[in-house]
Amino acid sequence: MAPVRFQPHTCRHCEGFVIELVREGEVSWKPQRCDMTQDKLDLRITFRDLTAASADGCELCRWILYGKAISRKSLQDSSNYAAKDGGEIMDRSTYELLARADDENPECARSSMLEAVRDLISPDIGEYGLVAATNPPIIRVGKSKQDIQCIPYFGLCDPHTRLVLCRTANGLQLFTSEQDTAAAVLSTRPIANQPSEGLKDIAVWLGDCMTNHRRCRSIVTSPRGVAKRVKPRRLLHIEKPRNQPLRLNLQSTDKLDNLPPFAALSYCWGGNQTFRCDESTVTGFMVGIPLSNLPATIRDAVTVCEQLKIQYLWVDSLCILQDDEADKAIEIAKMPSIYGGAVFTIVASRAASAWDGFLGTRVPDPDTIPAFQIPWPCEGNQLGSVTMVDLDVRPEPIDERGWTFQERLLSTRLVEFGSRQTRCTCRESRSSAGYRDGWRRESETDTSYTGERVWAKVEEDIHNGWQWLILRYTQRKLTHGTDRPLAISGIAERCTQLADDDDDEYLAGLWKKSLQAGLLWAVLARDREPRPLSYQGPSWSWLAVGSPTFNLQLNRAEWGPEQSDSEILSVRTELANARAPFGATREGSGRLRIRGRLARATYGRENPPGVDSSSDHEIHITGAHGRVDANLYLDYAEDAVAVDSPGGPDNGVAVAALEIQSRSIGPSWFSFGLVLRPIATITADTPPADPSEGGKVNVFTRIGVFELGTSLDGFRNRSATDDVGWGRRSEEELNCFRDIEPSVIEIV
């Protein structure tokens, strides 16, 4: 396969770059307390040398000096303060935090390194040294064989303080050829420019997996697989008669005695599809579909199937009636079987839309991309060479879309066509093994949520594993918010099969056996979005919002049912479609009845800078010991704007705080719960659990969650012998809900 033909610059100045992976003394070497260069390459070039080499025609030095840069102003100010008499010298971690803040601050951006240098107040700027950050970071001890993938940035280091006070805004990707000496230490290879040239190798990999990988062959009937083989209602049939053009038509699987081997496509729609299957086109599609009419991504998928001798392909936009809600619900509910039962899933990672395609040239104009070649140290004091190229390496479009999350996880085999490589993986080779046509040995996709790792987490603890899945799923985007419950329904079904617990139940995105902890999902202030225009789920479920969410109890193994201060009495949900048991709920049907301690509360204007920016508001809870303040995570942007905007209520917004879980840890008390807004009082259609309610139940809607942590005064001054009884004392003195009588309420 032909690699991308970059034209790397090299000169005597480039050849003079010193790449030192291990310092003298190795194990005995100890960094200075604030040394920011200990995990970076010291290139043994001063700023004076850099400017001279640039003037002499070195394109690499010129790229460093004239590309966009960042001036680390906060770091400089702290350094100047520490240099004064009485100034405190901070440790390296503190300086790194300041540096990251500057890197993310738009006011620190500069047009070039030369402009950034003008911010430095030092007579020794010419002696500042050039360093390079690496990914992964350099480890200074042990063997010198370190697999460096890229240089995120070059920086200038103060020789006295060892602080990197300015840096380039961009970095360079590293690779070397298979024949180069450096290939023994660096695993990244040149990019194969034509993905289609690798299809024969993919066929070999596929045949080996289907023949020799027992776990992949048995995935459909194994406990990790799909409980039963459910047919998709329609498949695209690909036929290539001898000496004739390829033919394509839609077929109903009702006419097929056995479900034939088929591939599935995972791709980004990129907006509404103009070429799709609906009531007006389905009859014509059954007769035939001109290949030239297909969007490029689907057309490329047909090409892959034809080359790999697979005659059937499942594509959602062509195999589901897009204007028939019942057909959509039924077919979406089959996704575990469709993606789990497909011979392989074609992942069009690089295509941002159905019209982009994924088999085209990866780098059409390599001559226009800056590239440089420098020597690289290898074992045995040998020198190899690496190419450094200015490539914009971003997440693939498909890794940002909501629907493709479950499509990846449910698949048995993946054939991924990315911007920089094609990668084939299966259940027996998820991250580094399998086939690749170049570039990285490890996948650039976050492999922590792929295949066996996810299902192992779920089998170990379905409830914690589910929260971990939701954390990642909700970070992705959906064109239609109403798809939020649907685009993870296949994963929910698979979790049920793995848990194999008939007593548990899936309830609008939460699980019955961990409902209290599941209710404690939250939205960070920076991620908060407006309230969706259409119903997505009951307010107590994370399905109701369009924002990324996380759970306040994620990874809190010590918080068990015994820490629950509420009791779930009933949950009534009604499916929007009875044939989609893990799909959407009907609007108004998600009614959660709960008994718990409910306190009066208010929340006011946005917190001042420096006060827990993750929640950005405080809630004031009135309890047995007066008012206490807790962090408030609001669910919707409107609830923040209503109180923060001019003319907002001076005394805050009246709400209710419902305690869900709490516990004492030594002299500290922690409490978590829901923030609710009353909407009605109803006559219960079933008797309340508490007769004192008199048949009336107050109905609330959720608007957020609170997180309270407080400690006994003066506990730090007590001796170790005073530890006895602290848990009891902290509950008596700090639990603001302690003397409140529980009541029965309903949340919708």
Side-chain angles (χ1 to χ4, degrees):
M1 287 174 287
V4 177
R5 300 292 183 185
F6 295 107
Q7 301 298 318
H9 160 85
T10 189
C11 65
R12 64 183 182 88
H13 300 290
C14 296
E15 293 172 356
F17 274 53
V18 176
I19 306 296
E20 185 183 49
L21 298 179
V22 180
R23 294 186 177 181
E24 284 296 323
E26 292 189 347
V27 176
S28 63
W29 177 79
K30 293 182 180 180
Q32 299 177 32
R33 181 183 176 193
C34 63
D35 187 355
M36 291 180 66
T37 70
Q38 61 181 276
D39 59 352
K40 298 176 178 62
L41 296 175
D42 186 344
L43 301 175
R44 304 290 181 87
I45 295 175
T46 65
F47 178 65
R48 184 178 292 107
D49 298 332
L50 194 65
T51 54
S54 174
D56 194 38
C58 177
E59 293 181 15
L60 173 56
C61 295
R62 184 172 180 81
W63 184 91
I64 295 171
L65 285 175
Y66 289 91
K68 292 181 180 179
I70 296 170
S71 174
R72 289 173 163 173
K73 295 282 293 178
S74 299
L75 195 61
Q76 294 171 37
D77 294 342
S78 300
S79 174
N80 293 336
Y81 172 75
K84 296 178 182 179
D85 291 340
E88 180 183 357
I89 298 177
M90 295 179 285
D91 60 24
R92 176 173 169 263
S93 61
T94 304
Y95 282 123
E96 292 284 5
L97 286 173
L98 291 170
R100 280 199 294 272
D102 285 335
D103 293 349
E104 296 170 2
N105 184 355
E107 294 182 1
C108 293
R110 300 292 181 267
S111 63
S112 69
M113 185 76 86
L114 291 175
E115 182 185 354
V117 165
R118 297 191 189 107
D119 295 331
L120 302 178
I121 305 172
S122 172
D124 302 323
I125 291 177
E127 299 305 315
Y128 275 41
L130 183 67
V131 298
T134 64
N135 183 22
I138 291 294
I139 301 174
R140 288 297 185 191
V141 295
K143 297 182 179 180
S144 62
K145 186 176 180 179
Q146 299 187 53
D147 190 4
I148 307 302
Q149 296 181 352
C150 69
I151 293 176
Y153 65 84
F154 293 90
L156 291 178
C157 171
D158 185 327
H160 305 294
T161 64
R162 306 300 294 169
L163 299 179
V164 181
L165 298 178
C166 54
R167 49 157 286 191
T168 59
N170 301 316
L172 298 171
Q173 304 297 315
L174 272 60
F175 68 85
T176 191
S177 68
E178 194 70 45
Q179 296 75 32
D180 195 282
T181 306
V185 291
L186 299 181
S187 66
T188 305
R189 299 291 175 259
I191 296 171
N193 215 15
Q194 301 297 335
S196 58
E197 293 180 356
L199 291 177
K200 290 183 179 179
D201 292 329
I202 294 172
V204 173
W205 167 84
L206 181 61
D208 177 65
C209 176
M210 294 177 69
T211 303
N212 300 318
H213 291 181
R214 185 179 62 183
R215 288 165 65 196
C216 298
R217 292 200 312 272
S218 62
I219 193 69
V220 172
T221 55
S222 72
R224 291 181 186 274
V226 183
K228 57 183 178 178
R229 189 106 180 222
V230 180
K231 287 183 181 180
R233 188 171 182 183
R234 306 170 192 88
L235 288 171
L236 287 174
H237 180 224
I238 304 163
E239 186 179 10
K240 181 64 171 69
R242 189 170 184 177
N243 300 323
Q244 294 185 38
L246 184 146
R247 292 185 223 166
L248 186 69
N249 73 295
L250 193 64
Q251 283 192 6
S252 170
T253 57
D254 294 339
K255 298 179 180 180
L256 301 173
D257 293 335
N258 297 302
L259 187 63
F262 68 94
L265 176 63
S266 177
Y267 67 113
C268 297
W269 277 30
N272 291 326
Q273 299 302 288
T274 55
F275 191 87
R276 64 179 195 167
C277 180
D278 55 33
E279 292 288 357
S280 67
T281 61
V282 64
T283 302
F285 284 179
M286 292 288 183
V287 176
I289 304 173
L291 189 64
S292 59
N293 289 1
L294 289 177
T297 298
I298 301 176
R299 188 165 61 245
D300 284 350
V302 170
T303 298
V304 171
C305 288
E306 191 268 327
Q307 291 289 311
L308 299 183
K309 311 302 181 186
I310 298 293
Q311 292 187 306
Y312 290 88
L313 172 66
W314 189 86
V315 182
D316 55 3
S317 62
L318 299 182
C319 297
I320 300 176
L321 291 175
Q322 297 299 318
D323 58 352
D324 186 328
E325 293 302 319
D327 192 68
K328 286 169 65 175
I330 293 168
E331 295 304 296
I332 288 170
K334 297 177 183 177
M335 281 193 173
S337 295
I338 292 172
Y339 284 97
V343 176
F344 60 90
T345 296
I346 300 168
V347 184
S349 300
R350 62 185 287 210
S353 79
W355 299 97
D356 288 352
F358 57 84
L359 290 180
T361 302
R362 285 192 169 110
V363 185
D365 301 303
D367 293 351
T368 64
I369 298 176
F372 318 97
Q373 192 174 79
I374 62 170
W376 197 264
C378 304
E379 294 180 341
N381 294 322
Q382 292 183 303
L383 274 182
S385 62
V386 301
T387 299
M388 303 191 298
V389 61
D390 186 359
L391 279 180
D392 187 8
V393 176
R394 299 182 182 181
E396 299 284 14
I398 205 166
D399 293 330
E400 299 176 346
R401 304 306 302 168
W403 277 103
T404 60
F405 182 74
Q406 75 170 357
E407 293 166 4
R408 172 182 290 274
L409 287 179
L410 296 173
S411 298
T412 302
R413 303 178 187 89
L414 300 171
V415 181
E416 304 177 64
F417 293 89
S419 301
R420 294 165 290 280
Q421 72 176 177
T422 300
R423 175 179 292 273
C424 301
T425 52
C426 60
R427 293 296 192 196
E428 293 195 10
S429 59
R430 266 304 180 198
S431 59
S432 59
Y435 165 81
R436 63 175 178 134
D437 64 358
W439 202 238
R440 302 274 193 251
R441 181 172 59 193
E442 300 289 336
S443 173
E444 291 180 308
T445 297
D446 180 6
T447 57
S448 64
Y449 66 81
T450 55
E452 296 298 276
R453 297 187 185 186
V454 166
W455 305 127
K457 276 181 176 286
V458 171
E459 281 191 314
E460 180 183 348
D461 182 345
I462 181 176
H463 305 294
N464 207 53
W466 178 253
Q467 297 302 338
W468 184 84
L469 281 165
I470 296 309
L471 175 69
R472 282 152 181 79
Y473 168 65
T474 58
Q475 291 170 354
R476 295 182 170 222
K477 300 297 182 183
L478 290 164
T479 302
H480 305 289
T482 50
D483 287 345
R484 196 169 173 100
L486 304 176
I488 198 169
S489 59
I491 293 177
E493 181 178 350
R494 180 69 61 83
C495 287
T496 299
Q497 295 162 0
L498 292 178
D500 193 23
D501 185 349
D502 293 337
D503 293 331
D504 211 348
E505 185 180 356
Y506 184 70
L507 301 167
L510 282 67
W511 296 93
K512 179 181 177 181
K513 283 196 170 182
S514 58
L515 198 53
Q516 276 105 329
L519 292 171
L520 296 175
W521 56 269
V523 178
L524 291 176
R526 66 169 183 264
D527 296 330
R528 201 161 44 217
E529 295 182 7
R531 185 175 276 101
L533 298 177
S534 300
Y535 179 82
Q536 297 176 189
S539 73
W540 44 265
S541 170
W542 57 270
L543 293 173
V545 302
S547 311
T549 67
F550 71 102
N551 194 283
L552 294 176
Q553 296 289 37
L554 183 63
N555 294 326
R556 293 178 184 265
E558 71 276 11
W559 289 74
E562 63 275 10
Q563 275 78 45
S564 295
D565 297 294
S566 56
E567 179 186 359
I568 305 296
L569 302 178
S570 65
V571 184
R572 289 182 292 172
T573 60
E574 183 179 328
L575 294 171
N577 189 303
R579 297 179 68 178
F582 298 91
T585 56
R586 186 179 59 79
E587 184 171 358
S589 71
R591 308 187 76 88
L592 169 66
R593 189 164 294 184
I594 186 171
R595 181 202 284 132
R597 295 186 285 197
L598 199 67
R600 290 182 293 110
T602 60
Y603 74 93
R605 297 185 185 277
E606 187 175 10
N607 287 332
V611 177
D612 196 351
S613 59
S614 63
S615 63
D616 85 358
H617 285 78
E618 277 190 335
I619 185 171
H620 315 299
I621 302 172
T622 302
H625 310 291
R627 195 185 89 168
V628 296
D629 298 330
N631 290 329
L632 168 62
Y633 297 86
L634 290 168
D635 294 341
Y636 303 107
E638 294 91 335
D639 292 317
V641 172
V643 72
D644 293 334
S645 59
D650 293 332
N651 296 325
V653 176
V655 290
L658 175 67
E659 183 185 36
I660 297 294
Q661 290 186 327
S662 63
R663 68 173 297 185
S664 61
I665 302 178
S668 301
W669 181 259
F670 298 92
S671 184
F672 302 87
L674 305 185
V675 179
L676 307 171
R677 177 180 293 144
I679 57 174
T681 299
I682 62 172
T683 300
D685 53 359
T686 57
D690 188 343
S692 65
E693 298 295 330
K696 299 291 184 180
V697 175
N698 291 322
V699 182
F700 294 80
T701 185
R702 171 189 153 137
I703 65 167
V705 289
F706 70 84
E707 177 183 45
L708 171 64
T710 185
S711 300
L712 293 168
D713 291 337
F715 79 90
R716 297 183 186 279
N717 299 323
R718 298 176 181 270
S719 67
T721 57
D722 292 331
D723 287 358
V724 179
W726 270 2
R728 176 181 52 77
R729 285 195 53 220
S730 62
E731 179 175 7
E732 290 177 353
E733 298 181 26
L734 302 176
N735 183 1
C736 60
F737 291 92
R738 184 170 59 88
D739 295 329
I740 297 175
E741 286 295 323
S743 59
V744 176
I745 65 169
E746 194 163 273
I747 309 173
V748 295

